[in-house]
Amino acid sequence: AQSVTQLDSHVSVSEGTPVLLRCNYSSSYSPSLFWYVQHPNKGLQLLLKYTSAATLVKGINGFEAEFKKSETSFHLTKPSAHMSDAAEYFCVVKDNQGGKLIFGQGTELSVKP
Amino acid sequence: DTAVSQTPKYLVTQMGNDKSIKCEQNLGHDTMYWYKQDSKKFLKIMFSYNNKELIINETVPNRFSPKSPDKAHLNLHINSLELGDSAVYFCASGRESGNTIYFGEGSWLTVV
C-alpha cells in the first residue's frame, strides 16, 4: 500500500528565511507525488507534482521539491518565506489502482514578520 | 471561469436532516471524486466516479449516496445527518489517464 508521512505537524519560520517541509513516501511502484496548499478556509491548490521526469520539480510561488528515491523523500522547499505562504501544506501520493490521492497529515506553516 | 465548482460553500443544518452538495467541472475530465476533510484537517477519499460509473467507495456509510447524472457532475446526498458528518467536503476531478487532480473550493458542513 502506498502512503506518505509528513514529519512535522507545524513549522514556523521568519519572513525571508528558507522553508523546508518534509515528506517521506512508501510505494511499491514508481510514485506520482504532489504537494498541495490550503490557505485558511480555502480549497486545495496544486503547488507542484513529480511524475517520474526530472527529480527536481519547480512549482508555483517559488516552491520546489526534490524526489530522492534512495531516501524515499519528497521534501518541499522555498528559499525565502513570504507572509502569504502561511497555510497548510499536504504531501500526496497517487494510488496506481483507481487513481485516488492519498494525503499526508498536513504541515501547518507559520511565517513570522 | 471556475474549473471545479461546488455548492453550497457553507451549510448549517440540524441532525436528522437530508442535504445535498452539488459539484460541476468544466475541464472535460472523465473522473470525479469526493473527499472529506475532518476537524484535524485530514483528507480522505470517499468516492470516485469514472464516466458516471462508481469506481471507488471507501467504506462510507450508506447514508452517503453520490450521484453522477453526467461526466461533468457529481453530487453528494447525505441522509439522516449526524453530528460526526460535520466536515469540509471537497469535490475534485481529473483524467483517468492523467496525473493532476483539481479540487473545488470545498463545502463546509456543520451539523447541529
Side-chain angles (χ1 to χ4, degrees), chain B residues 68-89:
Chain B
S68 182
D70 55 59
K71 286 197 304 183
H73 296 83
L74 180 61
N75 303 322
L76 183 64
H77 188 77
I78 315 171
N79 289 327
S80 304
L81 278 155
E82 300 177 355
L83 292 176
D85 298 332
S86 296
V88 186
Y89 294 86

Side-chain angles (χ1 to χ4, degrees), chain A residues 32 34 36 38 41-44 46 49 51 88 90 94 97-105 108, chain B residues 9-10 33 35 37 40-43 45 48 55-56 58 90 95-96 98-101 103-105 108:
Chain A
S32 294
F34 309 80
Y36 281 84
Q38 183 180 25
N41 297 320
K42 296 289 187 182
L44 293 155
L46 178 67
K49 62 181 178 181
T51 55
E88 190 85 17
F90 294 95
K94 187 174 183 183
Q97 295 181 343
K100 67 181 180 184
L101 297 182
I102 300 168
F103 283 78
Q105 302 91 324
E108 182 183 2
Chain B
K9 181 163 186 176
Y10 299 103
Y33 308 83
Y35 284 81
Q37 185 174 42
K40 296 183 179 178
K41 298 188 178 178
F42 183 66
L43 278 143
I45 192 166
S48 165
I55 303 298
I56 295 173
E58 289 279 312
F90 285 98
R95 294 191 191 280
E96 184 182 24
N99 280 307
T100 303
I101 294 178
F103 284 82
E105 289 283 299
W108 271 254

Side-chain angles (χ1 to χ4, degrees), chain B residues 1-5 24-27 93 102-103:
Chain B
D1 288 342
T2 304
V4 182
S5 59
E24 176 182 6
Q25 55 94 4
N26 62 6
L27 298 166
S93 74
Y102 296 88
F103 284 82

